[in-house]
Amino acid sequence: MGIGTLVAMLAIALAVIGILATQQAYSLFLPGLLQGAVLTIEIAILGSLLAVIMGVLAALARLYGPAPLRWLATVYVEIFRGTSALVQLFWLFFVLPQFGVSLDPFPVAVLALGLNVGAYGSEVVRGAILSVARGQWEGCTALNMSRAQMLRRVILPQAFVAMIPPWGNLFIELLKSTSLVSLITLSDLAFKAQQMNQNTFKTLPIFTLVLLMYLVMSLVLTIGMRLLERRASAGLARGKAA
Amino acid sequence: MIWDWNFTLEILPVLAHAAIVSVEATLIGFVLAATLGLVLAVVRIAIPRTGWTISVLVELIRSTPLLIQIFFIYFVFPKFGLVLDAFTAGVLAIGIHYAAYCSEVYRAGFDNIHRGQWEASIALNLSAWTTFRDIIIPQAVPPIVPALGNYLVALFKETPLLSAIAVMELMQTAKIIGSETFRYTEPITLVGLFFLAMSLVSAALIRTLERMLNQRATR
């Protein structure tokens, strides 16, 4: 879908929220939902940061680490990709305290979502690094670069461009997964919606607004990643022409 | 003692029973997703000027969380007179959500069909229905089976969300056991292990399937 269509969808979604906000039946819920949305955004941003860090670390460990580190990274990726995000969230929330590690819901949420998406992300990073042409490595060797120099100066900058679209999808997945944290008592957007629904039974306005708000957040993220992709690959094209 | 084996053996049959509900939800949800996804992909090609509408619909479904969609169907539909029980509402939501993803997979499959196949079908005066059934779908679907398989696994891993509307599947059962006995370690870990085992097995199956399909394609 083109970036123009996405921007048009975003504009329409915002306009619909604006029109609904003039109706009392809807505007009543808006402040509370916005409060929830702020928490959703916080968790999404921190979770994404953790996911990127874990993704890069796990991918580098699997590709270039010594054997024990490689196994550790593989086990991490398999466990977090193989079990459901909600199971991981509940495990960290309910089971970890039994081992003496009691965390607040907020760090649990960031940790669970970050680790979960990081596991998928490591495959993205790994694939992107492997997709860099062999000749680039050989060129680096010919220039007598150290392995760290090769990765930092030549391989990762090229792999970065290939990573942007799949990471964009993963960030969207993470944003949507933040709704799960409502089930461990964090008052994010989904939690606020359920709470208000139980108090007022005004189901239709509440859930319509919530869907629209998630849509706006996803679209902003998608558009942002598209722009980033455009910028990054524009640089690459120039480099090729030179 | 952190892990109690007697307790584990005690709750295992209960969880095994709940696992059946999870698997049922997965299978029904996936049949719904695969069928609806195919319908969306075919409509996009067969009926002119529906492409944009379907794109927007797919984008809308994919941009909002499944959990909220489950709530929407479970809580909002009754206001319009459509009362669904928790299991049906949940499976319907999962099916529709993944139909959006599946339709994109089918679309990729259709896009890979050479133009000449369509033109030859027109030249042979085949109806649109026959073209799809006998020419296009038999060529388009086998290559995308592994991609659909990946969505089957992803869908399976989403079924714990049904616990949010109190469907008695694995996660909900584990939570109830936990709140009754104050022992969460065993039930939740077992649920995790069950998902891990199923995912690893299905990943291996999909890889085998992929190899078989590749062999057939190159022959």
Side-chain angles (χ1 to χ4, degrees):
Chain A
M1 188 175 269
I3 204 161
T5 319
L6 291 170
V7 173
M9 276 175 77
L10 179 61
I12 292 170
L14 285 171
V16 173
I17 293 180
I19 292 166
L20 291 178
T22 60
Q23 312 246 311
Q24 227 236 306
Y26 284 82
S27 62
L28 193 63
F29 302 109
L30 217 45
L33 291 179
L34 283 174
Q35 226 174 37
V38 171
L39 187 67
T40 294
I41 293 171
E42 277 172 15
I43 293 172
I45 290 175
L46 290 176
S48 302
L49 269 177
L50 181 64
V52 171
I53 294 169
M54 289 308 293
V56 172
L57 286 182
L60 291 180
R62 282 183 85 177
L63 284 172
Y64 310 114
L69 215 57
R70 212 157 58 217
W71 294 327
L72 192 69
T74 308
V75 168
Y76 157 68
V77 170
E78 289 300 330
I79 285 183
F80 278 87
R81 291 204 321 164
T83 60
S84 153
L86 188 60
V87 177
Q88 290 154 23
L89 200 64
F90 279 166
W91 202 90
L92 291 177
F93 189 65
F94 289 113
V95 180
L96 218 51
Q98 317 235 355
F99 292 94
V101 188
S102 262
L103 293 174
D104 284 335
F106 185 79
V108 164
V110 172
L111 208 59
L113 296 178
L115 290 175
N116 180 264
V117 175
Y120 288 91
S122 88
E123 293 292 285
V124 167
V125 176
R126 205 164 73 107
I129 289 177
L130 291 176
S131 77
V132 175
R134 259 185 77 86
Q136 299 287 331
W137 287 101
E138 289 161 1
C140 291
T141 313
L143 291 170
N144 203 19
M145 283 181 168
S146 71
R147 159 134 323 148
Q149 277 177 325
M150 295 180 190
L151 273 174
R152 191 163 47 86
R153 292 201 178 152
V154 179
I155 305 303
L156 286 181
Q158 294 183 68
F160 177 71
V161 181
M163 279 179 218
I164 298 173
W167 269 113
N169 288 338
L170 286 178
F171 290 149
I172 300 277
E173 288 299 318
L174 195 143
L175 175 67
K176 291 193 294 175
S177 304
T178 57
S179 61
L180 303 186
V181 307
S182 63
L183 304 175
I184 59 164
T185 71
L186 273 172
S187 56
D188 76 322
L189 187 49
F191 184 88
K192 289 274 184 194
Q194 258 217 307
Q195 201 182 27
M196 289 173 175
N197 182 37
Q198 275 158 10
N199 291 340
T200 63
F201 298 108
K202 295 269 186 274
T203 310
L204 182 65
I206 294 172
F207 282 107
T208 307
L209 278 176
V210 169
L211 279 177
L212 284 168
M213 285 163 89
Y214 274 112
L215 179 65
V216 166
M217 290 191 274
S218 299
L219 286 173
V220 168
L221 189 53
T222 311
I223 294 168
M225 291 304 282
R226 287 286 177 86
L227 292 176
L228 183 67
E229 186 190 342
R230 195 183 278 181
R231 267 190 73 159
S233 52
L236 190 75
R238 253 203 318 274
K240 263 181 193 158
Chain B
M1 176 92 179
I2 285 173
W3 186 275
D4 184 346
W5 281 107
N6 287 331
F7 181 58
T8 308
L9 288 177
E10 202 179 303
I11 61 173
L12 212 50
V14 186
L15 287 177
H17 194 73
I20 297 175
V21 178
S22 288
V23 172
E24 264 173 16
T26 308
L27 293 179
I28 301 174
F30 186 70
V31 168
L32 201 63
T35 320
L36 205 61
L38 183 61
V39 170
L40 282 177
V42 169
V43 165
R44 185 200 284 272
I45 297 176
I47 305 171
R49 281 189 289 280
T50 50
W52 193 81
T53 319
I54 289 176
S55 291
V56 170
L57 190 69
V58 166
E59 192 67 33
L60 287 178
I61 294 173
R62 293 205 304 184
S63 299
T64 48
L66 176 56
L67 183 64
I68 307 292
Q69 291 168 3
I70 292 175
F71 285 153
F72 197 88
I73 290 185
Y74 188 56
F75 293 122
V76 179
F77 278 22
K79 303 258 165 171
F80 297 101
L82 187 59
V83 181
L84 299 168
D85 64 286
F87 183 83
T88 316
V91 168
L92 191 64
I94 289 182
I96 293 174
H97 190 80
Y98 275 89
Y101 287 91
C102 287
S103 83
E104 291 294 295
V105 174
Y106 285 117
R107 189 153 81 109
F110 290 142
D111 282 349
N112 278 335
I113 301 294
H114 196 269
R115 264 186 72 87
Q117 299 285 329
W118 294 98
E119 289 163 356
S121 303
I122 295 171
L124 290 169
N125 203 18
L126 298 177
S127 68
W129 168 245
T130 318
T131 308
F132 266 112
R133 199 195 51 195
D134 292 343
I135 312 292
I136 305 302
I137 290 179
Q139 294 182 81
V141 170
I144 57 163
V145 167
L148 288 178
N150 285 335
Y151 279 123
L152 173 62
V153 179
L155 187 152
F156 175 59
K157 284 186 285 185
E158 300 268 30
T159 54
L161 289 188
L162 297 181
S163 66
I165 52 169
V167 176
M168 289 297 281
E169 47 67 69
L170 260 181
M171 197 70 240
Q172 180 70 4
T173 311
K175 253 168 66 184
I176 289 174
I177 293 173
S179 61
E180 278 171 354
T181 60
F182 298 106
R183 291 202 64 98
Y184 282 100
T185 314
E186 291 87 354
I188 295 184
T189 310
L190 283 175
V191 172
L193 288 175
F194 175 74
F195 275 100
L196 186 61
M198 292 293 274
S199 303
L200 291 177
V201 169
S202 31
L205 280 177
I206 291 169
R207 232 172 292 140
T208 317
L209 195 67
E210 212 165 347
R211 211 172 312 129
M212 273 166 54
L213 289 169
N214 280 341
Q215 268 171 9
R216 236 182 53 179
T218 49
R219 215 188 301 163

